[in-house]
Amino acid sequence: MAASANSFLVGNNTQVPTLKPKSTSQSLLHLNKPTTVNLAGKSKPVAVKCVAATTHVQDGARSGSVGSQERVFNFAAGPATLPENVLLKAQADLYNWRGSGMSVMEMSHRGKEFLSIIQKAESDLRNLLEIPSEYSVLFLQGGATTQFAALPLNLCKSEDTVDFVVTGSWGDKAVKEAKKYCKTNVIWSGKSEKYTKVPCFDELEQSMHAKYLHICANETIHGVEFKDYPVPKNPNGFLVADMSSNFCSKPVDVSKFGVIYGGAQKNVGPSGVTIVIIRKDLIGNARDITPVMLDYKIHDENSSLYNTPPCFGIYMCGLVFEDLLEQGGLKEVEKKNQRKADLLYNAIEESKGFFKCPVEKSVRSLMNVPFTLEKSELEAEFIKEATKEKMVQLKGHRSVGGMRASIYNAMPLAGVEKLVAFMKDFQAKHA
């Protein structure tokens, strides 16, 4: 007896009707749980077993599509929106990953199944960023904030000096943490100008003996992004960059850096994964006081598997890397991001002061767009009305106020177009 398209079989060949998903973004897993089936007019409980669980992804349901009706446009700074096709793929494989009989969340991190996942994730990331062979890729935990301590503990001694260019809150936090482990020298800070610009590199008074120069490549809160990168004056020094909020948003010449690090939860995955790309000759110099979980050598020698890693998060990052490659790589991704950012910044400029972005135009972020209203008393209403239109998380960071639209890789053009249309309507009503 063959089951129909809208039913499945229980042990006695009785057809049980299944529920149709409301949309292609939903699937139904029929787990082993009691249900009631009418057999010859009698109600009898039976155990329902999963025969198959398949999710069909809509044609074109990829990063950049409009998405299903149930989903909102999520402008959160992180954790942030993920590509819809990546979520659907993960959903389809959640219960039984590629016929392994288990979920990724249940796998041993030392088993062949997960080894294939983490190895492919690293390979795809290397392809995306064209990472040279003399660099190691580490999948760690603790967020970029943990790296604020790990960096000086691994890269310098307590008497060494580290230079910092501070263009926002995250750069400032990096300095404060590093002070516990080395001498810090803030060679430029934008704090007095409320973090709205990036300095001219020629004017930076770097320490000639600085072990390294640290920057935050994109400040999530203030919306300031480096479009080029400074070069350390110390010939033996190197550049270190926190790229949490613009990681894999555009091509980057990795060879210009000693270390690139960032949390995954903005552009390439869920929260819980921290990625460190480090030149191999910088590994192996951790101080004796360095906790084992912060020692780059330990993680490098164990291929990021010294202890149980964030397995599902790494798997999700791998799916995102696949998606970015399928889009044509980071050059194509950057074009899409530039188009979205131009659309939003142009709307702000064309509002004749009703909306304002405080950041200097030449260094405005492609990822995080902060803006305010001329009439600040309308900001709460703006956020409330936007939420009604299924555009969420537009409230600015608590430290700066206003609004902020984070338009990472996975934010489709349709989301930015809808926001811009809403902004114009809101201005028409309240100007």
Side-chain angles (χ1 to χ4, degrees):
M1 181 179 182
S4 71
N6 297 321
S7 66
F8 62 97
L9 298 177
V10 294
N12 58 1
N13 286 334
T14 302
Q15 281 193 353
V16 180
T18 65
L19 299 176
K20 290 185 179 179
K22 292 181 180 179
S23 75
T24 53
S25 67
Q26 296 175 317
S27 69
L28 212 57
L29 292 179
H30 301 285
L31 308 178
N32 293 344
K33 65 178 184 178
T35 189
T36 300
V37 182
N38 190 288
L39 300 174
K42 298 180 180 179
S43 295
K44 180 180 179 181
V46 297
V48 179
K49 295 183 179 181
C50 178
V51 176
T54 305
T55 301
H56 299 285
V57 181
Q58 283 179 311
D59 292 337
R62 59 173 300 111
S63 177
S65 69
V66 175
S68 62
Q69 292 180 350
E70 290 81 3
R71 287 178 60 78
V72 298
F73 287 119
N74 178 10
F75 292 93
T81 189
L82 286 165
E84 184 171 302
N85 63 307
V86 165
L87 292 172
L88 292 172
K89 190 170 184 179
Q91 181 188 48
D93 284 338
L94 180 64
Y95 182 65
N96 183 352
W97 184 79
R98 299 187 181 180
S100 66
M102 55 186 162
S103 171
V104 173
M105 291 185 284
E106 302 170 299
M107 293 176 180
S108 166
H109 61 293
R110 305 195 190 283
K112 63 180 181 179
E113 294 87 359
F114 185 72
L115 287 178
S116 71
I117 289 172
I118 193 170
Q119 288 167 2
K120 186 176 188 304
E122 179 179 338
S123 176
D124 285 348
L125 179 58
R126 285 184 175 276
N127 288 336
L128 274 172
L129 285 171
E130 299 179 0
I131 300 172
S133 59
E134 58 266 28
Y135 285 75
S136 288
V137 175
L138 308 177
F139 294 99
L140 307 177
Q141 302 180 64
T145 301
T146 299
Q147 298 307 308
F148 296 165
L151 288 162
L153 284 170
N154 280 271
L155 303 177
C156 62
K157 306 302 182 186
S158 60
E159 65 271 16
D160 289 335
T161 297
V162 175
D163 284 347
F164 287 83
V165 175
V166 179
T167 52
S169 295
W170 293 108
D172 184 57
K173 289 181 179 181
V175 175
K176 290 175 180 176
E177 187 69 2
K179 276 183 179 179
K180 301 173 184 178
Y181 308 106
C182 65
K183 296 178 181 178
T184 58
N185 180 30
V186 178
I187 59 175
W188 188 89
S189 173
K191 189 173 184 177
S192 63
E193 298 177 80
K194 297 184 179 180
Y195 298 127
T196 56
K197 60 189 293 187
V198 169
C200 174
F201 300 153
D202 293 337
E203 298 173 359
L204 296 176
E205 296 183 7
Q206 297 186 43
S207 309
M208 287 305 298
H209 301 289
K211 197 71 176 181
Y212 60 88
L213 172 61
H214 182 281
I215 65 170
C216 180
N218 185 80
E219 284 284 355
T220 319
I221 294 174
H222 295 90
V224 176
E225 183 173 20
F226 281 79
K227 304 302 180 180
D228 197 4
Y229 306 103
V231 177
K233 285 186 178 179
N234 179 359
N236 296 316
F238 48 91
L239 184 61
V240 174
D242 176 355
M243 291 193 179
S244 293
S245 53
N246 66 349
F247 189 70
C248 285
S249 66
K250 60 183 179 180
V252 171
D253 184 353
V254 174
S255 67
K256 289 184 176 181
F257 301 84
V259 183
I260 292 171
Y261 68 98
Q265 70 274 11
K266 301 175 187 298
N267 252 330
V268 297
S271 60
V273 180
T274 307
I275 298 171
V276 174
I277 301 170
I278 180 170
R279 216 171 63 202
K280 290 181 179 179
D281 64 301
L282 300 177
I283 298 173
N285 302 306
R287 295 183 222 174
D288 292 340
I289 65 167
T290 305
V292 66
M293 288 302 295
L294 299 188
D295 189 336
Y296 294 144
K297 183 180 179 182
I298 293 291
H299 293 294
D300 184 50
E301 289 179 342
N302 289 275
S303 302
S304 301
L305 298 170
Y306 174 72
N307 71 327
T308 306
C311 295
F312 194 78
I314 293 170
Y315 159 71
M316 290 296 293
C317 288
L319 294 184
V320 173
F321 298 152
E322 282 183 8
D323 179 62
L324 295 175
L325 287 169
E326 289 171 3
Q327 291 184 53
L330 297 186
K331 288 183 180 179
E332 292 302 314
V333 170
E334 182 183 26
K335 290 177 184 177
K336 295 176 182 179
N337 288 333
Q338 187 69 59
R339 183 181 177 189
K340 291 183 295 183
D342 286 346
L343 183 63
L344 184 49
Y345 284 122
N346 288 341
I348 293 170
E349 293 301 312
E350 292 168 3
S351 72
K352 298 180 179 180
F354 188 83
F355 297 103
K356 296 178 182 179
C357 175
V359 181
E360 189 177 277
K361 289 183 180 180
S362 63
V363 293
R364 287 178 174 176
S365 171
L366 297 188
M367 299 286 98
N368 309 101
V369 182
F371 59 97
T372 58
L373 278 166
E374 184 179 32
K375 302 175 182 177
S376 59
E377 65 272 15
L378 291 175
E379 290 177 357
E381 185 176 350
F382 179 93
I383 294 165
K384 180 180 178 181
E385 292 301 315
T387 301
K388 289 180 181 178
E389 296 297 322
K390 295 188 176 181
M391 292 177 287
V392 302
Q393 299 296 324
L394 283 164
K395 187 176 182 179
H397 190 272
R398 61 187 180 277
S399 65
V400 296
M403 277 77 66
R404 174 179 54 177
S406 294
I407 51 175
Y408 299 122
N409 291 348
M411 173 57 66
L413 178 62
V416 179
E417 289 174 335
K418 183 172 182 178
L419 175 59
V420 166
F422 172 78
M423 290 167 68
K424 290 179 179 179
D425 288 344
F426 190 87
Q427 180 176 0
K429 293 177 183 177
H430 298 282

